[in-house]
Each structure stands twice: as C-alpha cells, then as structure tokens.
C-alpha cells in the first residue's frame, strides 16, 4: 500500500472516530463529548438520563449504522466487480426484493388472515423472520441459476427479473390492503437503524463479520476479475467457485441488513466509487478497507442528519441516504470518474 493511501486510511479512521462521537453527542438531546467519555469509560456521567440515552439508545444505534454502512458498501463493491458494472449495488440480485416480499406477506397479506392472528404475524420477530426467508428463497433460485448459467451477466438479469416479479406481487398485496397496513409497510420500507435489540444487534454483527471475512478471502479473485474472466482463469482462479462465494457474501450482507434495518438505498452503489476516486486505484486490498471505513462514516453522518439535532422528529434513514447518494452518483457520472471494471 502506498504511503499516500496509508495516510488516507489513517485519516478515515480518525473521521470514523469523530463521526461516532458526533453521532453519540448530537440529537434531540445534546450531550457533551466529555460526558460521553465518562459514561462509556468511567462508569457514568454527571447525569443519569444522559447515561441511559447513551448506553441504551445511541450506542446501539451507532453500532448498527457502522455495521449497515460496512455491509452495504462492501457488498456494492463486490457486485460492481463481479458484474463489471459501475451501477451495480448490493440489491442487484433481487435479495432486497425477496426480503420486501416476505415482509409484504406479513404486513400486507394479513387481510387474508383471521383477525385473531394478525397481531402475532405483525410482531417484530415475524417481520425479521419473513424478511430473512424471502431473501433466502431468492438466494436459492440465484444459486440454482449459477449452476446452469456460465455467463455472469445472465445472473444479473435473473436477479432483475426476481425484483420485477417481487414488485408485482407486492403491488397486488398493496391493492387489497387497507390504509393501516399500507402505512406499516411504508414505514418499514423507509428503513430504521434505531429499533434493534441487543440480540438482533449481535446477530447482525456476526452476519457482517462473516461476509467481511469471505470478502477479504476473495481479494485475489476480485482483482483478477477486473481484467476479465478469461484472464482470471489463465492465472488459476476458479471463476465458478469465486463467483459463488462473492454472491454468498453479498447475500449475507444484503439479507441480514434488509431484515434488521430495512432496504437502505444508494450507500452500496456510491461509496465504492468514492473510495476508488480518492485512492486512484482499483486494487481491492486497498479499496476494500477504504470502502468499509467510508461506508461506516457516511451511514453515521446520514443518521446524524436524520436525527435533526434540536428537532423533535427523526427523518427516515432511507430518505436521507437517497437524498445524499443520488446527487453523489449523478456527480460521479457527470465527471466520468467511474472506473471500468
């Protein structure tokens, strides 16, 4: 790694720490940095209410933001390299649509169920379970398609078709749903990183860690794929096996994040390009580290914006990431800075 890139990585680590402190400090209630450090490292601050807010609300939410930012950014990088498409993102395989369809069956399909079981099916656990199941079903079809399709671009088309099919089913369910059901589903689709329990946070952390390990073990294959599948084969890379592991890593990232935080847009698409643009390299050994740090920083800043410091309301996280991510992608296109993988 060049000295310039090492300095940039160290700068990102500093910015991540600063973003984390800002995220813990700012919000509807302002808490000084000194009191945050006391609460975390010295057993408590001078205000018990601040301790409760920091330990039970802001720290879990900040950790969730970091995990979501890492997972979405790395899975976006994996998909852009695998499909050699600068506009590919973590949800390009249709995994998010499968998760959304699973949740739609719970929140919108409850009109077809007896009233006595509607409350049970609308619980947080059932929503997470349905989201995971929907993502796993789509992943199963994608893995079956991989065995039959040699062309990677065909897998992309299969994913897009699953997205269209899932969207059509969701539209049908929406048509037969009442206003309350539609409102619940709309709120879920806006995304949320502040409602996770400790057990859910641990599960999400394990999933992101597993996906990250697979991604790091795939660095050699990813670098080879930048020059085309024929070149990768010529240096001994098993394309089928590498493609399978890359898709599994993306499925773990996208499926778990959608299940616990909802579908969050643009972070996975934009962050890898920002990392490549600044580093001026496509080497995954460097880009992967920069991407995960940038992803965590951007999600923390988006969460900070969504809290609207001093206001008594919170904006949907998906709306904030889209408002920031969409102009960013447009700017990258206008500058023609996309790297052709």
């Amino acid at each position: 790694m060049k000295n310039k890139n090492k300095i940039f990585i160290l700068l990102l680590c500093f910015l991540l720490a600063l973003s984390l402190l800002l995220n813990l400090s700012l919000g509807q209630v302002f808490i000084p940095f000194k009191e945050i450090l006391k609460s975390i490292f010295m057993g408590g601050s001078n205000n018990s209410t601040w301790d409760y807010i920091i330990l039970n609300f802001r720290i879990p939410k900040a950790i969730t933001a970091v995990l979501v930012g890492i997972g979405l950014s790395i899975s976006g990088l994996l998909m852009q390299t695998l499909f050699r498409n600068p506009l590919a993102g973590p949800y390009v395989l249709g995994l998010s649509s499968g998760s959304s369809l699973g949740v739609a069956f719970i929140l919108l399909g409850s009109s077809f169920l007896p009233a006595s079981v509607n409350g049970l099916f609308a619980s947080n656990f059932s929503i997470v379970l349905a989201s995971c199941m929907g993502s796993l079903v789509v992943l199963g079809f994608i893995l079956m398609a991989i065995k039959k399709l040699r062309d990677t671009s065909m897998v992309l088309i299969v994913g897009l078709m699953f997205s269209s099919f899932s969207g059509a089913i969701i539209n049908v369910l929406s048509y037969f749903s009442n206003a309350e059901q539609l409102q619940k589903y709309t709120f879920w689709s806006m995304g949320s990183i502040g409602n996770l329990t400790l057990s859910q946070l641990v599960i999400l952390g394990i999933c992101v860690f597993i996906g990250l390990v697979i991604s790091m073990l795939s660095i050699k294959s990813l670098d080879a794929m930048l020059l085309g599948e024929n070149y990768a084969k010529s240096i001994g890379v098993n394309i089928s096996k590498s493609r399978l592991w890359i898709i599994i890593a993306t499925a773990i990232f996208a499926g778990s994040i959608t299940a616990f935080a909802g579908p969050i847009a643009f972070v996975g698409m934009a962050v890898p390009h920002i990392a490549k643009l600044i580093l001026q390299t496509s080497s995954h050994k460097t880009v992967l580290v920069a991407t995960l740090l940038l992803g965590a920083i951007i999600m923390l800043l988006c969460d900070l914006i969504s809290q609207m410091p001093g206001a008594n309301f919170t904006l949907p996280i998906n709306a904030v990431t889209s408002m920031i991510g969409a102009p960013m992608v447009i700017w990258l296109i206008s500058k023609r800075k996309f790297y052709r993988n």
Side-chain angles (χ1 to χ4, degrees), residues 5 8-9 12 15 73 76-77 80 86 266-282 286-299 301-302 321 324-333 337-339:
N5 292 339
F8 177 68
I9 296 298
L12 287 180
L15 290 176
S73 301
L77 177 65
Q80 288 166 11
F266 281 105
V267 174
M269 183 189 296
V271 171
H273 292 298
I274 299 172
K276 292 178 184 179
L277 178 63
I278 296 173
L279 293 172
Q280 294 292 309
T281 180
S282 293
T286 306
V287 171
L288 190 141
V289 176
T291 297
L292 71 87
L293 291 172
L294 270 171
I297 292 168
I298 288 176
M299 273 305 302
L301 294 178
C302 287
T321 57
I324 293 175
M328 200 174 291
V329 172
I330 293 171
W331 178 77
L332 287 166
I333 292 173
K337 290 291 185 180
F338 276 125
Y339 281 70

Side-chain angles (χ1 to χ4, degrees), residues 105-122 181:
F105 274 120
I106 296 296
L107 297 180
L108 302 179
S110 57
S111 26
F112 302 101
L113 299 173
S116 57
V117 298
N118 278 350
L120 176 65
F121 275 84
Q181 293 166 335

Side-chain angles (χ1 to χ4, degrees), residues 33-106:
F33 285 172
K34 181 174 68 174
E35 300 301 324
I36 293 171
L37 297 176
K38 283 184 181 179
S39 181
I40 296 173
F41 298 111
M42 299 176 65
S45 67
N46 297 328
N47 189 316
S48 59
T49 302
W50 287 352
D51 290 335
Y52 180 82
I53 292 172
I54 293 168
L55 298 176
N56 295 280
F57 180 68
R58 290 192 180 174
I59 287 180
K61 186 160 65 69
I63 294 173
T64 304
V66 170
L67 293 174
V68 169
I70 290 173
L72 291 179
S73 301
I74 296 298
S75 55
L77 177 65
L78 297 179
M79 290 295 95
Q80 288 166 11
T81 300
L82 178 64
F83 295 113
R84 303 179 69 191
N85 185 338
L87 294 178
Y91 303 135
V92 73
L93 294 176
L95 298 169
S96 175
S97 298
S99 294
S100 299
L101 181 58
V103 173
F105 274 120
I106 296 296

Side-chain angles (χ1 to χ4, degrees), residues 4-23:
K4 179 183 67 174
N5 292 339
K6 288 180 180 178
I7 293 172
F8 177 68
I9 296 298
L10 290 174
L11 177 61
L12 287 180
C13 291
F14 170 76
L15 290 176
L16 177 58
L18 179 61
S19 301
L20 192 58
L21 279 174
L22 285 172
N23 193 273

Side-chain angles (χ1 to χ4, degrees), residues 245-260:
W245 280 113
I246 289 169
I247 288 176
I248 288 174
T250 302
I252 293 171
F253 281 135
S256 60
I257 288 170
T258 305
F260 291 111

Side-chain angles (χ1 to χ4, degrees), residues 103-309:
V103 173
F105 274 120
I106 296 296
L107 297 180
L108 302 179
S110 57
S111 26
F112 302 101
L113 299 173
S116 57
V117 298
N118 278 350
L120 176 65
F121 275 84
S123 66
N124 286 335
F125 174 76
S126 63
I127 290 172
V128 170
L129 181 61
S131 180
C132 290
M133 291 301 296
S135 181
L136 287 173
V137 168
V138 174
L139 175 61
F141 282 111
I142 292 293
L143 293 179
M144 285 191 292
I146 288 175
K147 292 182 179 180
K148 296 182 177 293
L149 300 172
R150 294 184 178 180
D151 189 352
T152 303
S153 62
M154 292 297 103
V155 179
L156 176 60
I157 294 173
V158 170
L160 293 174
M161 292 304 101
F162 275 119
S163 296
S164 298
F165 177 77
S166 300
I169 299 297
I170 292 171
N171 287 337
V172 171
L173 292 173
S174 300
Y175 181 80
F176 290 103
S177 300
N178 57 41
E180 182 182 357
Q181 293 166 335
L182 286 171
Q183 186 181 50
K184 288 180 180 178
Y185 181 76
T186 301
F187 284 155
W188 176 84
S189 67
M190 289 178 179
S192 174
I193 59 173
N195 299 322
L196 270 67
T197 63
L198 180 60
S199 59
Q200 290 175 333
L201 190 57
V202 169
I203 294 171
L204 178 60
I206 292 171
C207 290
V208 171
F209 176 76
I210 293 171
L212 193 55
V213 170
I214 297 173
S215 302
M216 289 181 172
L217 293 175
S218 302
I219 285 177
K220 180 182 176 182
S221 301
L222 291 166
D223 282 339
M225 287 179 182
L226 289 175
L227 299 175
E229 293 187 359
N230 291 332
Y231 173 81
K233 289 177 183 178
S234 70
I235 63 171
V237 174
N238 187 326
I239 292 296
S240 299
K241 186 178 179 181
S242 299
R243 183 171 59 181
L244 175 63
W245 280 113
I246 289 169
I247 288 176
I248 288 174
T250 302
I252 293 171
F253 281 135
S256 60
I257 288 170
T258 305
F260 291 111
I264 297 176
F266 281 105
V267 174
M269 183 189 296
V271 171
H273 292 298
I274 299 172
K276 292 178 184 179
L277 178 63
I278 296 173
L279 293 172
Q280 294 292 309
T281 180
S282 293
S283 172
H284 285 83
K285 184 178 180 180
T286 306
V287 171
L288 190 141
V289 176
T291 297
L292 71 87
L293 291 172
L294 270 171
I297 292 168
I298 288 176
M299 273 305 302
L300 284 169
L301 294 178
C302 287
D303 179 52
L304 184 61
I305 294 170
S306 72
Q307 294 178 58
M308 298 294 289

